[in-house]
Amino acid sequence: MWYRQAGITEYFRLPVKRVESVPEERAVEDRCRDKELELERIREELGDCRRCPLWKHRTNLVFGEGNPCAKVMFVGEAPGEEEDRQGRPFVGLAGQLLTRLIEEVGWRREDVYIANVLKCRPPGNRNPREEEIEACSPFLLKQIDAIKPKVICALGTFSAQLLIGKKIPISRIRGRVLTGWKGYRVFPTYHPAYLLRNPKQKPVAVADFRTLRQMVEDEV
């Protein structure tokens, strides 16, 4: 009516370009695929690693496994005998306990990402040496940067000290949220192998995992 009163009698309809919105699910899938590809690239870079003498004793490299879009990443110290045999992290007795702790708080193992500071088993499951950590840890840090977890759960002394950059006993920092490498939130707790040797500490670990779960939920 207004146009008619103004003397305008011809109208032109301009074509409107439709902008297709990408569903959130598709966007998440694309991000996860990008992270998966980056992890594959890191694994290729690692190759048949001989950067330290541990390669002479290994059966398999143990790179890491899990959800590339995980909100939580668990980092242990080194593969054990069963991990070396299978080429997978945390599949021996300590790994079975870790899986139970993860399930205790309502997660599934496939929801998280699991890796170690070292990719090869030290002989006799001895502690990692400084030169081994120096040679191998850059690949762990690249994995962390690819996944970008909300929280890194450091299992035991060696992973905690690497990620926070300080040599503090695990007993002093477990159950606390610390600022670590590149500002990532690090939550140290006891290594499952330690819990197998000290079963009285299992309730402490369960409490830590519940705190971890609550922290992740609060972050979302």
Side-chain angles (χ1 to χ4, degrees):
M1 183 182 295
W2 185 89
Y3 284 115
R4 284 199 300 269
Q5 291 175 351
I8 299 172
T9 57
E10 293 187 66
Y11 305 92
F12 300 91
R13 183 182 296 276
L14 296 176
V16 178
K17 184 179 180 181
R18 284 182 167 271
V19 179
E20 297 291 340
S21 61
V22 179
E24 181 62 24
E25 294 81 2
R26 179 63 180 276
V28 171
E29 288 178 4
D30 289 345
R31 287 196 297 270
C32 287
R33 181 57 182 161
D34 288 343
K35 292 183 178 186
E36 186 177 2
L37 291 172
E38 179 61 17
L39 289 170
E40 291 175 3
R41 189 198 64 76
I42 297 166
R43 177 63 186 89
E44 290 176 1
E45 181 185 352
L46 181 61
D48 183 27
C49 185
R50 299 189 177 189
R51 293 170 177 84
C52 80
L54 288 180
W55 72 270
K56 300 176 183 178
H57 309 281
R58 73 170 180 243
T59 303
N60 288 295
L61 277 165
V62 182
F63 181 68
E65 67 177 25
N67 183 356
C69 272
K71 295 175 182 176
V72 179
M73 182 172 177
F74 291 90
V75 177
E77 59 184 44
E81 181 179 5
E82 191 61 27
E83 290 77 14
D84 176 62
R85 189 180 71 81
Q86 296 189 35
R88 298 178 57 211
F90 282 93
V91 290
L93 292 177
Q96 294 168 28
L97 177 54
L98 174 61
T99 299
R100 291 198 297 272
L101 288 168
I102 290 170
E103 293 173 347
E104 175 75 22
V105 296
W107 286 328
R108 300 172 301 164
R109 185 179 167 109
E110 54 264 36
D111 294 330
V112 303
Y113 194 91
I114 304 173
N116 283 301
V117 174
L118 299 187
K119 308 305 184 192
C120 297
R121 179 196 180 198
N125 292 348
R126 63 162 170 74
N127 289 336
R129 294 173 178 167
E130 288 291 339
E131 62 271 20
E132 295 162 354
I133 295 174
E134 183 178 352
C136 207
S137 60
F139 294 96
L140 169 68
L141 300 180
K142 289 179 182 181
Q143 287 173 286
I144 292 171
D145 244 2
I147 296 166
K148 293 181 171 53
K150 298 289 186 183
V151 185
I152 305 169
C153 183
L155 300 170
T157 299
F158 290 93
S159 59
Q161 290 182 352
L162 171 69
L163 293 170
I164 66 174
K166 297 178 182 178
K167 292 188 178 296
I168 305 175
I170 191 69
S171 58
R172 287 178 50 193
I173 55 177
R174 57 137 290 274
R176 295 168 52 190
V177 184
L178 305 173
T179 300
W181 176 75
K182 277 194 172 182
Y184 282 102
R185 301 169 77 196
V186 178
F187 185 85
T189 189
Y190 292 127
H191 194 286
Y194 170 83
L195 299 176
L196 292 175
R197 300 190 300 268
N198 301 272
K200 290 184 179 180
Q201 295 292 340
K202 286 183 183 178
V204 175
V206 171
D208 284 350
F209 270 67
R210 288 174 179 163
T211 301
L212 177 65
R213 174 64 191 253
Q214 188 61 51
M215 180 172 34
V216 174
E217 289 181 350
D218 291 345
E219 180 74 16
V220 176

